[in-house]
Amino acid sequence: MSDLNAMLAPGMLVRHPDEPDWGVGQVQSNIAGRITVNFPNEGKVVFDGNRVTLILVSL
């Protein structure tokens, strides 16, 4: 898992690097490298943190 994915915590905002149409998602959980994010245009998605490095969004 990337260093960024390891630090993701519930409430943080992220984007998927390959799916910009999903919009800005909110991290729901990050347990043992499985990251659950709720995206406005895609819904809830669970990622393997070793396969996708999410992009942190700062407002």
Side-chain angles (χ1 to χ4, degrees):
M1 182 164 47
S2 79
D3 289 339
L4 173 62
N5 282 350
M7 66 159 257
L8 292 176
M12 292 180 144
L13 301 177
V14 295
R15 288 191 180 275
H16 188 289
D18 300 324
E19 301 291 346
D21 293 344
W22 289 4
V24 176
Q26 184 178 44
V27 175
Q28 303 295 301
S29 66
N30 186 356
I31 301 169
R34 291 178 51 88
I35 305 162
T36 303
V37 181
N38 192 20
F39 290 97
N41 299 327
E42 184 63 20
K44 192 175 285 187
V45 181
V46 179
F47 296 99
D48 177 350
N50 293 314
R51 303 183 119 208
V52 176
T53 300
L54 298 169
I55 301 166
L56 185 63
V57 174
S58 59
L59 299 176

